[in-house]
Amino acid sequence: MFFKRFDFLFYGVLALAFSCQVTSHKIKPYISDKTSATLPNLILPKQYVTFQVVKVADWEASLAGLLDLDDPKAIGLKDRLEPISIYFYLVKHPKFGTYMIDSGMGKNFPKGEDGKSLVSSIVESQMHFEKLKVYETTKTYLQKNKVDVKGIFFTHLHLDHTLGAYEIDRSVPFYVGPSEVTSRQFINLFVQGSTDRLLGEIPNLVQFDFGKNSNEIAVFDFFGDQSFFILSVPGHTPGSLAFYIPAKGGGHLVLGDSCHTQWGWKEGVTPGKFTTNAKLNRKSLDFLKQVAETHEIQFVYPGHQDRISTPLKK
Ligand SMILES: [Zn+2]
């Protein structure tokens, strides 16, 4: 008994000692206390942004990672590889310019511009990169479409969302949610080097600080004109972000990886093993469901599958 307890303590201390941040790059805080706990019921933007989703790649991932298979609604579902996709999104504001959500994928990934592998062999062995079917790479897409990116919002810093970051100009701010970088976890020991390389040399990393407990949900009107709302939805990772973008004829709700799949959204089942804090992810998914019920929404975008049309309420 003593030894078991000792082991538990020993490994606990060891895990704590080796816990580290998801990236060792420095951050600048973006401090704002102008957040609210909920999305306003009545949203009347002074102007609308244009919103676009770009499919970057098709891929496959473990269903037990994408969905909590212990959820009673998931009865009968077994772990297997599930078809998924990788996306980035473009948010074009008439006055402030174009922003991206997530970073797409760099050319020749997983090799970088210098031909060296961007991810460690342990990460590569776990991520089935051989199954990636790539349609668009970030720098080429942005040049081809003459997009001058003013900033990137990361839904979170899991590797599959940072695969194109190193191709972005170093001056462009990379915005992440509260505590996304500054929280420490044991798992980061295995991914930090890869995340560092994918974010590229000295990234302009900016971490939102909404002046409250980072476990709390927060809503932030980024441009201050009700055209684009950042939803701080912790759980999947400490600083996971979702987005609500008002549009004529119904808005867009970008879930990030608070919900990866179409089935997960329809059934209200949270992600499984890919999520850091299941309890907080549950709370955040319930909040997003409530946003969808109380606002006119045209499309809901799960983190890794195609958007879902939502019937308008009127
Ligand atoms: Zn993801």
Side-chain angles (χ1 to χ4, degrees), residues 156 158 160-161 257 260 304:
H156 61 304
H158 277 168
D160 53 315
H161 298 255
D257 285 3
H260 297 101
H304 285 289

Side-chain angles (χ1 to χ4, degrees), residues 59-61 109 119 122-132 158-160 163 191:
W59 201 18
E60 290 179 22
F109 178 81
V119 290
I122 184 165
V123 166
E124 193 157 356
S125 71
Q126 295 299 308
M127 289 186 83
H128 306 287
F129 289 138
E130 74 285 354
K131 295 195 186 284
L132 268 174
H158 277 168
L159 293 171
D160 53 315
L163 305 176
V191 296

